[in-house]
Amino acid sequence: MDFQLSTAEALDERVPGDLIATSKGRPWRDLLVQIFARRPVQDSLLIPAVPEPLIVWVVSGSARVEERQLEGEWMANEVRAGEFFLQTSPRPCELRWRTLTSEPFRVMHVYLGLPLMRRAAIDVLGPASPLVPLREVSGAADEVVANQLGILCRELLERRAPSTMLVQGLASSLAVHLVRAYASDTQHPAIPHGGLPAFKIHRVLAAMQERIDQELDLKRLAKVVQLSEAHFSRSFKKSTGFSPSQFLTRLRMERARRLLRETEAPIVEIGLEVGYASPSHFAQVFRKEVGALPSDYRNGR
């Protein structure tokens, strides 16, 4: 891939669940596709703002999914196989979910590149058309989207050598349909003004995950994206709503919650795994961020 999507995987690789299939390594332009089996419960997940439209299509199962802008009100939707989300907001958001049945909850993420969306806008609206902003969609059914993504899903899962021509045709068709059906009347920038573009923010997230148990090294993170420390800190907060140190704490708490819920590891060991040598300090931070002590959280209180 020859644009920002080459690193969009970094975000999805940290989302709890198993990666079933990916388009990584395939000669697909302006398109990233990944299929995941998600865990039954996710308490909180921060999604940074990125410029590329993201479609999340439910492949199987059903779940109650809640989403909100940072510090905003939670909005809930019950979704089932065949329904989709379209995320285009230039502001970070937060997600949580809980499955409704025992059927595996599988979703497909489709990132459509900005060059592809520009070509679609020109095709639909004329050569002078700018990149068209799309409106947010939460848990909707769309026969065209379901048909095209169903073909794309089967091509990736069932074919040893998916057809590049077919996939690129589906991507173009999908981009045109989104411009026609979901163009927004509200103009907004593709990325937050002054924020980091997708390829840089995903590099930072990957670097944070690599050393989640170590102290924040601001100089190292700034070097990853070739910025000064001050410029990096300002731009990172524009994209995520948090300073680098605050965001690292959120990543640590996400992992700690999962370990408390899904393993029997001692709380002291979990604290060490996410960077807290002092059990009391870990408990203090966990309570502040999550609203309960680690032991109470594990016991469901």
Side-chain angles (χ1 to χ4, degrees), residues 99-112:
T99 56
L100 300 174
T101 68
S102 59
E103 184 179 6
F105 185 45
R106 295 175 178 171
V107 298
M108 181 165 72
H109 285 200
V110 180
Y111 290 88
L112 297 174

PDB file of all heavy atoms in Angstrom, residues 99-112:
ATOM      1  N   THR A  99     -21.558  -9.256  23.929  1.00  0.00           N
ATOM      2  CA  THR A  99     -22.296 -10.090  22.982  1.00  0.00           C
ATOM      3  C   THR A  99     -23.628 -10.524  23.583  1.00  0.00           C
ATOM      4  O   THR A  99     -23.780 -10.625  24.806  1.00  0.00           O
ATOM      5  CB  THR A  99     -21.474 -11.320  22.573  1.00  0.00           C
ATOM      6  OG1 THR A  99     -21.100 -12.059  23.746  1.00  0.00           O
ATOM      7  CG2 THR A  99     -20.220 -10.912  21.824  1.00  0.00           C
ATOM      8  N   LEU A 100     -24.585 -10.827  22.722  1.00  0.00           N
ATOM      9  CA  LEU A 100     -25.939 -11.166  23.147  1.00  0.00           C
ATOM     10  C   LEU A 100     -26.251 -12.645  23.043  1.00  0.00           C
ATOM     11  O   LEU A 100     -27.243 -13.112  23.609  1.00  0.00           O
ATOM     12  CB  LEU A 100     -26.957 -10.370  22.312  1.00  0.00           C
ATOM     13  CG  LEU A 100     -26.852  -8.848  22.412  1.00  0.00           C
ATOM     14  CD1 LEU A 100     -27.802  -8.184  21.434  1.00  0.00           C
ATOM     15  CD2 LEU A 100     -27.117  -8.381  23.844  1.00  0.00           C
ATOM     16  N   THR A 101     -25.436 -13.396  22.309  1.00  0.00           N
ATOM     17  CA  THR A 101     -25.645 -14.832  22.153  1.00  0.00           C
ATOM     18  C   THR A 101     -24.304 -15.543  22.260  1.00  0.00           C
ATOM     19  O   THR A 101     -23.254 -14.905  22.357  1.00  0.00           O
ATOM     20  CB  THR A 101     -26.282 -15.160  20.789  1.00  0.00           C
ATOM     21  OG1 THR A 101     -25.328 -14.874  19.746  1.00  0.00           O
ATOM     22  CG2 THR A 101     -27.551 -14.345  20.560  1.00  0.00           C
ATOM     23  N   SER A 102     -24.350 -16.850  22.235  1.00  0.00           N
ATOM     24  CA  SER A 102     -23.119 -17.647  22.299  1.00  0.00           C
ATOM     25  C   SER A 102     -22.435 -17.760  20.937  1.00  0.00           C
ATOM     26  O   SER A 102     -21.310 -18.276  20.844  1.00  0.00           O
ATOM     27  CB  SER A 102     -23.426 -19.044  22.835  1.00  0.00           C
ATOM     28  OG  SER A 102     -24.373 -19.701  22.000  1.00  0.00           O
ATOM     29  N   GLU A 103     -23.090 -17.300  19.889  1.00  0.00           N
ATOM     30  CA  GLU A 103     -22.489 -17.365  18.553  1.00  0.00           C
ATOM     31  C   GLU A 103     -21.260 -16.466  18.503  1.00  0.00           C
ATOM     32  O   GLU A 103     -21.261 -15.359  19.050  1.00  0.00           O
ATOM     33  CB  GLU A 103     -23.506 -16.913  17.506  1.00  0.00           C
ATOM     34  CG  GLU A 103     -23.015 -17.041  16.081  1.00  0.00           C
ATOM     35  CD  GLU A 103     -24.054 -16.604  15.064  1.00  0.00           C
ATOM     36  OE1 GLU A 103     -25.122 -16.100  15.488  1.00  0.00           O
ATOM     37  OE2 GLU A 103     -23.803 -16.745  13.851  1.00  0.00           O
ATOM     38  N   PRO A 104     -20.183 -16.915  17.856  1.00  0.00           N
ATOM     39  CA  PRO A 104     -18.976 -16.088  17.772  1.00  0.00           C
ATOM     40  C   PRO A 104     -19.274 -14.712  17.171  1.00  0.00           C
ATOM     41  O   PRO A 104     -20.010 -14.592  16.187  1.00  0.00           O
ATOM     42  CB  PRO A 104     -18.062 -16.902  16.846  1.00  0.00           C
ATOM     43  CG  PRO A 104     -18.521 -18.312  17.006  1.00  0.00           C
ATOM     44  CD  PRO A 104     -20.004 -18.232  17.207  1.00  0.00           C
ATOM     45  N   PHE A 105     -18.722 -13.685  17.810  1.00  0.00           N
ATOM     46  CA  PHE A 105     -18.908 -12.314  17.346  1.00  0.00           C
ATOM     47  C   PHE A 105     -17.716 -11.963  16.458  1.00  0.00           C
ATOM     48  O   PHE A 105     -16.609 -11.731  16.931  1.00  0.00           O
ATOM     49  CB  PHE A 105     -18.993 -11.371  18.541  1.00  0.00           C
ATOM     50  CG  PHE A 105     -19.296  -9.941  18.184  1.00  0.00           C
ATOM     51  CD1 PHE A 105     -20.284  -9.625  17.266  1.00  0.00           C
ATOM     52  CD2 PHE A 105     -18.596  -8.900  18.785  1.00  0.00           C
ATOM     53  CE1 PHE A 105     -20.573  -8.311  16.944  1.00  0.00           C
ATOM     54  CE2 PHE A 105     -18.888  -7.581  18.478  1.00  0.00           C
ATOM     55  CZ  PHE A 105     -19.874  -7.282  17.556  1.00  0.00           C
ATOM     56  N   ARG A 106     -17.966 -11.956  15.159  1.00  0.00           N
ATOM     57  CA  ARG A 106     -16.911 -11.698  14.191  1.00  0.00           C
ATOM     58  C   ARG A 106     -17.247 -10.450  13.385  1.00  0.00           C
ATOM     59  O   ARG A 106     -18.392 -10.260  12.976  1.00  0.00           O
ATOM     60  CB  ARG A 106     -16.731 -12.902  13.256  1.00  0.00           C
ATOM     61  CG  ARG A 106     -16.241 -14.148  13.996  1.00  0.00           C
ATOM     62  CD  ARG A 106     -16.185 -15.357  13.094  1.00  0.00           C
ATOM     63  NE  ARG A 106     -15.668 -16.520  13.818  1.00  0.00           N
ATOM     64  CZ  ARG A 106     -15.658 -17.759  13.333  1.00  0.00           C
ATOM     65  NH1 ARG A 106     -16.159 -17.989  12.121  1.00  0.00           N
ATOM     66  NH2 ARG A 106     -15.174 -18.736  14.059  1.00  0.00           N
ATOM     67  N   VAL A 107     -16.231  -9.631  13.162  1.00  0.00           N
ATOM     68  CA  VAL A 107     -16.435  -8.395  12.431  1.00  0.00           C
ATOM     69  C   VAL A 107     -15.348  -8.221  11.388  1.00  0.00           C
ATOM     70  O   VAL A 107     -14.236  -8.749  11.527  1.00  0.00           O
ATOM     71  CB  VAL A 107     -16.448  -7.167  13.372  1.00  0.00           C
ATOM     72  CG1 VAL A 107     -17.593  -7.262  14.367  1.00  0.00           C
ATOM     73  CG2 VAL A 107     -15.114  -7.014  14.093  1.00  0.00           C
ATOM     74  N   MET A 108     -15.672  -7.501  10.349  1.00  0.00           N
ATOM     75  CA  MET A 108     -14.705  -7.179   9.308  1.00  0.00           C
ATOM     76  C   MET A 108     -14.489  -5.678   9.281  1.00  0.00           C
ATOM     77  O   MET A 108     -15.446  -4.907   9.247  1.00  0.00           O
ATOM     78  CB  MET A 108     -15.193  -7.667   7.946  1.00  0.00           C
ATOM     79  CG  MET A 108     -14.206  -7.380   6.815  1.00  0.00           C
ATOM     80  SD  MET A 108     -14.554  -8.322   5.296  1.00  0.00           S
ATOM     81  CE  MET A 108     -16.032  -7.468   4.727  1.00  0.00           C
ATOM     82  N   HIS A 109     -13.230  -5.264   9.336  1.00  0.00           N
ATOM     83  CA  HIS A 109     -12.864  -3.860   9.240  1.00  0.00           C
ATOM     84  C   HIS A 109     -12.396  -3.575   7.818  1.00  0.00           C
ATOM     85  O   HIS A 109     -11.525  -4.279   7.294  1.00  0.00           O
ATOM     86  CB  HIS A 109     -11.741  -3.515  10.210  1.00  0.00           C
ATOM     87  CG  HIS A 109     -12.200  -3.423  11.635  1.00  0.00           C
ATOM     88  ND1 HIS A 109     -11.479  -2.745  12.596  1.00  0.00           N
ATOM     89  CD2 HIS A 109     -13.296  -3.913  12.261  1.00  0.00           C
ATOM     90  CE1 HIS A 109     -12.126  -2.823  13.759  1.00  0.00           C
ATOM     91  NE2 HIS A 109     -13.218  -3.532  13.571  1.00  0.00           N
ATOM     92  N   VAL A 110     -12.950  -2.540   7.221  1.00  0.00           N
ATOM     93  CA  VAL A 110     -12.566  -2.140   5.868  1.00  0.00           C
ATOM     94  C   VAL A 110     -12.201  -0.663   5.901  1.00  0.00           C
ATOM     95  O   VAL A 110     -13.056   0.191   6.142  1.00  0.00           O
ATOM     96  CB  VAL A 110     -13.719  -2.382   4.861  1.00  0.00           C
ATOM     97  CG1 VAL A 110     -13.290  -1.944   3.462  1.00  0.00           C
ATOM     98  CG2 VAL A 110     -14.134  -3.841   4.861  1.00  0.00           C
ATOM     99  N   TYR A 111     -10.914  -0.373   5.697  1.00  0.00           N
ATOM    100  CA  TYR A 111     -10.448   1.002   5.592  1.00  0.00           C
ATOM    101  C   TYR A 111     -10.375   1.367   4.107  1.00  0.00           C
ATOM    102  O   TYR A 111      -9.720   0.667   3.324  1.00  0.00           O
ATOM    103  CB  TYR A 111      -9.051   1.160   6.193  1.00  0.00           C
ATOM    104  CG  TYR A 111      -8.976   1.042   7.691  1.00  0.00           C
ATOM    105  CD1 TYR A 111      -8.795  -0.192   8.305  1.00  0.00           C
ATOM    106  CD2 TYR A 111      -9.055   2.176   8.497  1.00  0.00           C
ATOM    107  CE1 TYR A 111      -8.711  -0.309   9.686  1.00  0.00           C
ATOM    108  CE2 TYR A 111      -8.963   2.077   9.877  1.00  0.00           C
ATOM    109  CZ  TYR A 111      -8.791   0.828  10.460  1.00  0.00           C
ATOM    110  OH  TYR A 111      -8.695   0.722  11.832  1.00  0.00           O
ATOM    111  N   LEU A 112     -11.047   2.435   3.724  1.00  0.00           N
ATOM    112  CA  LEU A 112     -11.023   2.908   2.343  1.00  0.00           C
ATOM    113  C   LEU A 112     -10.107   4.116   2.262  1.00  0.00           C
ATOM    114  O   LEU A 112     -10.321   5.117   2.961  1.00  0.00           O
ATOM    115  CB  LEU A 112     -12.438   3.275   1.883  1.00  0.00           C
ATOM    116  CG  LEU A 112     -13.437   2.114   1.848  1.00  0.00           C
ATOM    117  CD1 LEU A 112     -14.832   2.628   1.534  1.00  0.00           C
ATOM    118  CD2 LEU A 112     -13.015   1.065   0.839  1.00  0.00           C
TER     119      LEU A 112
END
